[in-house]
Amino acid sequence: MAKPELISTLSTLSKKIDSLIATQEKLKNRVIELEFNNLELRKQHEEDLKLISKAQQDIDYLTMSYRLADSPEALVEARNKISKLIRTIDSCIRLIRED
């Protein structure tokens, strides 16, 4: 027959094992949640990097355009000339295709 002390020790160990199993399950669920959050943050980070890259490109274009123009009026005039040239090139391409 088992000693009462042994039964008491086994009962205590059983309770501790059950507590550890419950803690392990909570931790597994937390790991899954954190992995999901990590994936979402990585996606957001990539989108943010794309936005930063586009913003940097816009900054570069604006900086270049302001360096090329002496004043805001000259900048508008240069943009209008470029637009007119593009329309002319498009019409030339259209005429070449028609022939």
Side-chain angles (χ1 to χ4, degrees):
M1 185 178 221
K3 294 183 181 179
E5 297 166 0
L6 183 58
I7 293 174
S8 174
T9 302
L10 288 174
S11 175
T12 303
L13 285 174
S14 177
K15 289 177 184 177
K16 287 182 179 182
I17 289 172
D18 290 342
S19 175
L20 288 172
I21 290 172
T23 302
Q24 182 188 20
E25 285 300 315
K26 288 179 186 175
L27 290 173
K28 278 183 183 178
N29 290 335
R30 181 70 176 142
V31 166
I32 291 170
E33 178 185 337
L34 290 173
E35 285 176 346
F36 177 77
N37 288 343
N38 189 19
L39 181 63
E40 291 297 314
L41 288 171
R42 286 179 187 271
K43 288 178 185 177
Q44 183 63 46
H45 178 68
E46 286 186 24
E47 290 174 14
D48 291 345
L49 287 176
K50 289 177 185 175
L51 287 174
I52 289 171
S53 176
K54 184 177 179 342
Q56 185 61 48
Q57 190 177 28
D58 290 345
I59 289 169
D60 293 342
Y61 287 147
L62 286 172
T63 303
M64 183 63 72
S65 66
Y66 281 104
R67 285 182 188 161
L68 294 174
D70 297 332
S71 66
E73 294 82 21
L75 181 63
V76 170
E77 186 179 328
R79 287 181 184 165
N80 289 337
K81 286 181 181 180
I82 291 171
S83 294
K84 184 178 178 184
L85 288 171
I86 290 172
R87 284 192 299 275
T88 303
I89 291 169
D90 285 342
S91 68
C92 290
I93 291 171
R94 204 172 26 257
L95 289 172
I96 291 171
R97 285 185 182 166
E98 288 177 2
D99 287 342

